[in-house]
Amino acid sequence: MLQYENELKAVKSKHDEDVKLLGQKIDVLQAIGAAHAPLATQFPQRPLHQQEPEPDCAWKIANFTRKLAQAKSDNDYGIIQSEPFFSSHGYKMKLQVDLNEAPSGYAGYMGVYLILMKSDLDGAFPWPFAKRCTFVLVDQQDDLRQRQNIGLVIVTEGRSNFQRPREHKNTGGGERQFVKHSTLRTRQYIRDDAVYIKVLIDP
């Protein structure tokens, strides 16, 4: 009986040692797997709600401070227009800012407008242009979570500016009171003397 008990203890001891070794092997394999895991697994991507949507156009206005000061000094609109671009739907358009809306009676404001342009593709699309558009003044904080972008939604339906262009371009449709000059000087709306404006057009 004593010999049997000793053999049983030896078997149990061997079993415990095997379990310990197996656990160590598992730890090693997990460490190796983590070291070779894809970066997306080790560093998960930012949740979608923290990502900024893809714009139809992102426009940089350089030398912004000088241009704004000049427009105010001359009591002029200080009109600046972007290069033409095509929306994701195929409509040709461009952006316009009036740096100084004082001549229109809105001193201290910058206006923003969307201009539809004539294109050889116009016959392929429905008219009038009836998509909701969002203008965004970018707060240029590096950390997206810290940004406080300024957005403005315009509804184009029923507005004459968004009929099919008969000439080279239509008059712009937008908002004269897009942002106050005093607001522009806060946060990071102006950074490295540049301003960024985006436009997002609903699907």
Side-chain angles (χ1 to χ4, degrees), residues 69-85:
Q70 187 67 49
K72 294 171 72 173
S73 174
D74 296 343
N75 194 31
D76 182 64
Y77 284 103
I79 294 173
I80 305 175
Q81 295 183 347
S82 73
E83 292 295 320
F85 63 92

Side-chain angles (χ1 to χ4, degrees), residues 131-185:
K131 302 289 185 181
R132 192 177 70 162
C133 303
T134 304
F135 297 109
V136 178
L137 174 66
V138 179
D139 179 7
Q140 300 174 56
Q141 308 281 344
D142 291 329
D143 188 343
L144 293 182
R145 295 169 298 181
Q146 300 299 319
R147 291 187 175 186
Q148 294 183 19
N149 295 342
I150 294 175
L152 170 74
V153 176
I154 62 167
V155 178
T156 61
E157 191 171 2
R159 300 178 66 170
S160 60
N161 314 72
F162 299 102
Q163 298 291 329
R164 181 173 178 174
R166 299 303 175 187
E167 304 297 331
H168 174 60
K169 63 181 180 180
N170 289 352
T171 57
E175 174 56 52
R176 291 172 176 169
Q177 296 174 279
F178 177 47
V179 61
K180 290 183 177 181
H181 294 160
S182 57
T183 302
L184 281 166
R185 292 189 287 270

Side-chain angles (χ1 to χ4, degrees), residues 51-130:
Q51 295 180 346
E52 295 190 336
E54 190 71 23
D56 287 75
C57 175
W59 180 28
K60 176 182 179 180
I61 304 176
N63 303 314
F64 183 84
T65 304
R66 178 183 61 79
K67 292 174 181 176
L68 175 59
Q70 187 67 49
K72 294 171 72 173
S73 174
D74 296 343
N75 194 31
D76 182 64
Y77 284 103
I79 294 173
I80 305 175
Q81 295 183 347
S82 73
E83 292 295 320
F85 63 92
F86 287 89
S87 74
S88 57
H89 316 84
Y91 294 91
K92 187 178 182 181
M93 52 186 61
K94 61 181 175 180
L95 298 178
Q96 174 178 312
V97 296
D98 291 3
L99 296 174
N100 176 37
E101 288 285 1
S104 62
Y106 296 93
Y109 281 92
M110 181 178 81
V112 65
Y113 304 89
L114 183 66
I115 299 172
L116 282 183
M117 305 185 70
K118 193 172 185 178
S119 164
D120 291 339
L121 302 176
D122 287 347
F125 308 124
W127 296 95
F129 177 79

